[in-house]
Amino acid sequence: MAVSEPRGFRAELERCVACGKCRAVCPVFAVEGAEASVARGKLKLLTAAEEGVLDYDAELGHLIDNCLGCRLCVEACPGGVRTDELLYAARERIHHKRGRGLLALFLLRWLLPRRDVLTAVATLIGRLQHWGSRLLGLFGRPSGDKLSAGQRVQRALAGLYRLLLPLAGLSPRLVPPTLAREPFTVGRGELLNEAGSGAERWGLFVGCAVDLGYPTAAAAVVRLARLAGVTLVAPPGQVCCGLPAWGSGDRRAANQLRLRNASAFSDRHLDGVLTACASCASFLREHYDGLLEQTLTLQEFLADKLERLPLRYDEGLTITWHQPCHLARHLGLDLAEPLLERLGNYVEMAEKDVCCGGAGSYFAKFPETAAAVGERKARHIIASGADVVATACPGCAIQLEAALTRLGADVRVALLGELLVEHLPATRRPPAVADGSG
């Protein structure tokens, strides 16, 4: 029975026996220590709302939104109560009864379906960020600095952010992500790589965060596809996968995006679809039909193609891995370590698969808690002694960069594809001022 249906919703709520095992694993509860912060408390609140004791109002909505959606509680629950699905359905109920704010309607129903407008806005912000960092005279590459271009911009602007954000009513601990000066899709055609007659033909689902914040990660996928002997295309017309809309309870917006993407990838004679974003891969596989339902992560795509990659091992490089929640508990995948072990000295950090606290827009809605969760993760990264922390989710990369910036740690954050390409023969990292990465 679907949790989104009234009977299914109540039945799922009743399955919670209030054992409290979720308290031991919830990153939000570890920071706040409040019963309303953990799954058990939230389900009690929803039960009270269903019984008419509480209203499905903005106050309840705020409490329900204070969740990372990491599924650690689902994994720890003896009965497997689907807390994340209950909270998504609760958000839908709240917005159905109370309506949506103008900002949410603008972002989810107007901006996300218009990729050209979204790209233009993000590009403007990215160029202002890079220009501002250079104006401050802090954007340079000090000797031995291994940080990414985006991290250097963040570090240059960190003081300015702390000064200006409180004036706008925002937390000084919020570190905005650095956007690219040149998104991946700008100026590119549909055909990314032509592998010749008879080669497999794959589609690339670019994803908003990769396109606008980490274009070098998408470019890395193109190079890896070339080495794998695969023709790669990026169908025009693709938009956001719909995860932000779905997670906020806006099924209508999510379905509109789903239909747009299904249309974009149809009739392209594709053998498969891959993406460099773990969150996109998870949502596509859980909520789409047809070819997009079979979307592969980069790790899965390369699993049987490793011998075609002449990867160079760097004895002086220490790498650790942050496992995104969408890989660990949505898709149940853990395929990165064999790849990373071919690049350098791989070390496993503590709590590698515990949520970093980004969770889409959570870091902006609950900046203090997100910062605390992120800094716990950052301290594990620092303790590992790694020079680089790799991940497969641009949303996680944004949060890791922010946490490491706040702690002043010289640990580089890299998406998996970027790191792989840098260890191919005759491959050099482009100069910081020219890579356009975030």
Side-chain angles (χ1 to χ4, degrees), residues 184 188-194 202-204 206 218 221-223 226 230-235:
F184 174 76
R188 293 181 188 265
E190 178 177 354
L191 182 64
L192 302 176
N193 176 59
E194 175 59 71
W202 283 68
L204 175 63
V206 181
V221 175
V222 177
R223 175 131 196 244
R226 184 178 301 122
V230 168
T231 293
L232 191 65
V233 299

Side-chain angles (χ1 to χ4, degrees), residues 227-248:
L227 288 172
V230 168
T231 293
L232 191 65
V233 299
Q238 58 179 292
V239 291
C240 171
C241 66
L243 176 57
W246 183 273
S248 69

Side-chain angles (χ1 to χ4, degrees), residues 153-177:
V153 170
Q154 275 194 336
R155 186 163 295 189
L157 297 177
L160 189 61
Y161 288 146
R162 286 194 296 270
L163 176 66
L164 296 181
L165 290 175
L167 299 179
L170 300 173
S171 169
R173 300 188 74 189
L174 180 65
V175 181

Side-chain angles (χ1 to χ4, degrees), residues 147-337:
L147 299 181
S148 70
Q151 286 176 274
R152 291 194 295 276
V153 170
Q154 275 194 336
R155 186 163 295 189
L157 297 177
L160 189 61
Y161 288 146
R162 286 194 296 270
L163 176 66
L164 296 181
L165 290 175
L167 299 179
L170 300 173
S171 169
R173 300 188 74 189
L174 180 65
V175 181
T178 302
L179 300 178
R181 289 166 296 179
E182 193 73 17
F184 174 76
T185 54
V186 172
R188 293 181 188 265
E190 178 177 354
L191 182 64
L192 302 176
N193 176 59
E194 175 59 71
S197 177
E200 291 184 2
R201 181 181 173 87
W202 283 68
L204 175 63
F205 190 89
V206 181
C208 304
V210 169
D211 185 20
L212 306 177
Y214 299 90
T216 52
V221 175
V222 177
R223 175 131 196 244
L224 293 168
R226 184 178 301 122
L227 288 172
V230 168
T231 293
L232 191 65
V233 299
Q238 58 179 292
V239 291
C240 171
C241 66
L243 176 57
W246 183 273
S248 69
D250 194 335
R251 301 293 188 268
R252 174 183 165 185
N255 287 332
Q256 288 177 341
L257 295 168
R258 180 179 61 82
L259 293 173
R260 290 277 299 277
N261 286 317
S263 175
F265 279 81
S266 65
D267 300 325
R268 296 287 172 179
H269 308 291
L270 300 175
D271 295 295
V273 177
L274 74 150
T275 182
C277 176
S279 297
C280 289
S282 170
F283 191 77
L284 291 170
R285 279 157 69 160
E286 291 177 343
H287 297 280
Y288 279 64
D289 299 317
L291 187 65
L292 285 167
E293 186 182 12
Q294 309 301 321
T295 299
L296 297 187
T297 64
L298 183 59
Q299 299 96 298
E300 293 174 296
F301 174 74
L302 295 175
D304 61 350
K305 302 175 177 65
L306 284 180
E307 298 309 315
R308 306 184 201 179
L309 303 181
L311 296 171
R312 173 179 53 83
Y313 185 88
D314 185 349
E315 294 182 356
L317 182 69
T318 301
I319 309 167
T320 193
W321 168 251
H322 165 66
Q323 176 82 329
C325 298
H326 281 98
L327 288 184
R329 284 168 294 280
H330 286 247
L331 297 180
L333 296 176
D334 194 1
L335 303 172
E337 280 85 346

Side-chain angles (χ1 to χ4, degrees), residues 91-210:
R91 290 167 188 163
E92 185 178 19
R93 279 169 156 72
I94 292 169
H95 294 308
H96 178 71
K97 293 184 177 182
R98 303 294 172 181
R100 289 191 167 273
L102 292 178
L103 180 60
L105 289 173
F106 170 76
L107 293 174
L108 299 178
R109 298 191 184 182
W110 191 88
L111 187 59
L112 288 184
R114 291 168 172 80
R115 192 60 166 267
D116 54 342
V117 179
L118 177 63
T119 299
V121 172
T123 301
L124 175 61
I125 294 172
R127 291 179 179 177
L128 286 173
Q129 289 174 317
H130 284 81
W131 175 80
S133 67
R134 299 173 85 179
L135 183 65
L136 289 172
L138 299 175
F139 183 68
R141 186 162 186 168
S143 176
D145 188 0
K146 299 178 181 179
L147 299 181
S148 70
Q151 286 176 274
R152 291 194 295 276
V153 170
Q154 275 194 336
R155 186 163 295 189
L157 297 177
L160 189 61
Y161 288 146
R162 286 194 296 270
L163 176 66
L164 296 181
L165 290 175
L167 299 179
L170 300 173
S171 169
R173 300 188 74 189
L174 180 65
V175 181
T178 302
L179 300 178
R181 289 166 296 179
E182 193 73 17
F184 174 76
T185 54
V186 172
R188 293 181 188 265
E190 178 177 354
L191 182 64
L192 302 176
N193 176 59
E194 175 59 71
S197 177
E200 291 184 2
R201 181 181 173 87
W202 283 68
L204 175 63
F205 190 89
V206 181
C208 304
V210 169

